[in-house]
Amino acid sequence: MSLPTGVLRTELRRSVAPWAGATVLAVSLALLELGSGPWSKGATLWTAQWTSMALWTRHLLILLWPLALGLGALQGLRDHRSGTAELLAATPRPARHRAAALAGPTALALAGAFLLLVLLGAVRALAGGTATTGAGWLPIPLVGALALAAGAVLGMGVARVLPSVLTPPALAVAAFALTNALRQTTDAAVPTSAVPNRLSLLSPATADVRQTFLTLSAPVHLGQALWLLGLAATGLALLAAATRRARLLALTPLLAGGALALLVLPADPRDTYVLDRAETAQVCDGPVCVTAAHRSRLDELAGPGRDALGLLRTALGDRAPTAVRETTAPRAISATPERPRDALLVDFDDPVLAAAGGEALTRALVGQGIAPLCHPRSDRESGTLQGTVAQSIAAAWVLGDLRPLDGTMHSAQDQTDLAAPTWQAFSALPPAEQRQRIAALHTAAVSCTDDPLDALAGGAAR
């Protein structure tokens, strides 16, 4: 139901809508720009990539959605506070018109503020050189905007039925408790929650973004949209209801939307998030390939990548990888990454690769090619000191000098203290023996069955 422009302007002046929209936008920007969280660093920086940007804004709904319900309830108390509820009910204007006039401005303001936040993120992503590969990310923020609008309208309807000053804070607290109870985490390769997957997806908030190539599947978008439309319809019906029977009937859209949503939403967590095919499409320069999402990194990777492949071919012979490829496989935190024998995998979440360029990048790639990590490095994982040192020694054997790797959570001094004795003993060996030790190091690292430093020392722990 559309509102005349004059009515909309009047309601905007009389309602909390402008303040509600400003509050949502200010809180969101404060969290994303000033707060220290996983959205503020690394490859999952909230403006580093389009899909992850949309998911991070949806993640904020764990706070914003309860806030929207509370602000909606505050607006729903307006007629009760002014003592005009009975007077307005006696006017000939249809109740549904009054409900739309009351709900429309606040719902539009909250949805508009959320979409403005997404627009700001999109501008930042474009300014950073990240070009979108399609519109597959758009349903994520659109459902988020619908969630805030529906939450505000539902809050108004609840406040109309329960006209108490305690209703807005109680509703906000209850909604916050609910979103936390339904909350999903991404520590595993697939999202997990304390409740069945379908129930957890009734929360409009998404899990935190740990892997940039995952996006919500189409059944999730559809199921959540049905559920939120049911909430909004119930809120409007409660605003217009004048009798107890009408209020009971107003629950019908909520129940119907919930039932339809539970039929559509995936039961298996593995069907919740899927790989974004557009973002993970390979963009190559000869044997060096990155994903479409990181095509801006290809130029800086191509030269060092080809140099590293040539050096690895000399060092490992037939066992050397023949291509450099960006990894896209989902995995749990601390889980062993995929490790094909024909490709050197790069992960831009690895701070060593993020910090390196030119010759330093070649060194890091050589180390990764000979001694791929069994325990990854990222902003949430430190990797092991032994794995880092094994890479630095492997690169030193190829390039001639021992240097600690930059960007790890292990200090240069710690790396040197562990690497120096092993490197000194190793470099004193005959060349043929050194090559055998490097082959053993490579085998141990690829299989993740033995300590690569023990293999480098000939099987004796050092």
Side-chain angles (χ1 to χ4, degrees), residues 179-350:
T179 54
N180 273 278
L182 301 181
R183 184 176 184 175
Q184 290 187 335
T185 65
T186 56
D187 291 347
V190 295
T192 58
S193 64
V195 298
N197 193 64
R198 282 194 174 110
L199 287 179
S200 70
L201 292 175
L202 293 180
S203 168
T206 58
D208 54 332
V209 182
R210 189 174 62 83
Q211 300 177 87
T212 59
F213 302 123
L214 295 181
T215 187
L216 292 172
S217 62
V220 175
H221 297 316
L222 178 58
Q224 291 183 335
L226 290 171
W227 165 240
L228 294 169
L229 288 172
L231 292 182
T234 289
L236 283 173
L238 289 174
L239 276 175
T243 65
R244 183 177 180 181
R245 181 174 180 273
R247 290 169 181 170
L248 289 175
L249 289 175
L251 299 177
T252 302
L254 182 149
L255 297 175
L260 290 174
L262 291 175
L263 289 175
V264 172
L265 292 171
D268 191 335
R270 289 172 294 186
D271 296 327
T272 300
Y273 288 87
V274 295
L275 280 178
D276 190 324
R277 298 300 178 186
E279 296 290 339
T280 55
Q282 296 292 298
V283 179
C284 299
D285 183 347
V288 181
C289 298
V290 298
T291 62
H294 292 141
R295 60 163 60 90
S296 61
R297 306 288 299 269
L298 181 58
D299 289 342
E300 67 183 75
L301 182 65
R306 282 191 290 267
D307 292 342
L309 289 175
L311 293 168
L312 289 170
R313 193 175 304 113
T314 301
L316 298 176
D318 293 340
R319 290 179 296 176
T322 58
V324 177
R325 176 168 60 84
E326 183 179 1
T327 181
T328 60
R331 65 172 182 83
I333 288 181
S334 298
T336 302
E338 59 174 333
R339 38 209 328 102
R341 295 180 180 270
D342 61 343
L344 192 168
L345 296 185
V346 296
D347 184 351
F348 291 118
D349 281 332
D350 187 339

Side-chain angles (χ1 to χ4, degrees), residues 18 97-98 132 173 195 242 278 328 371 387 397:
H97 289 180
R98 294 197 306 273
T132 180
V173 170
V195 298
T328 60
W397 180 71

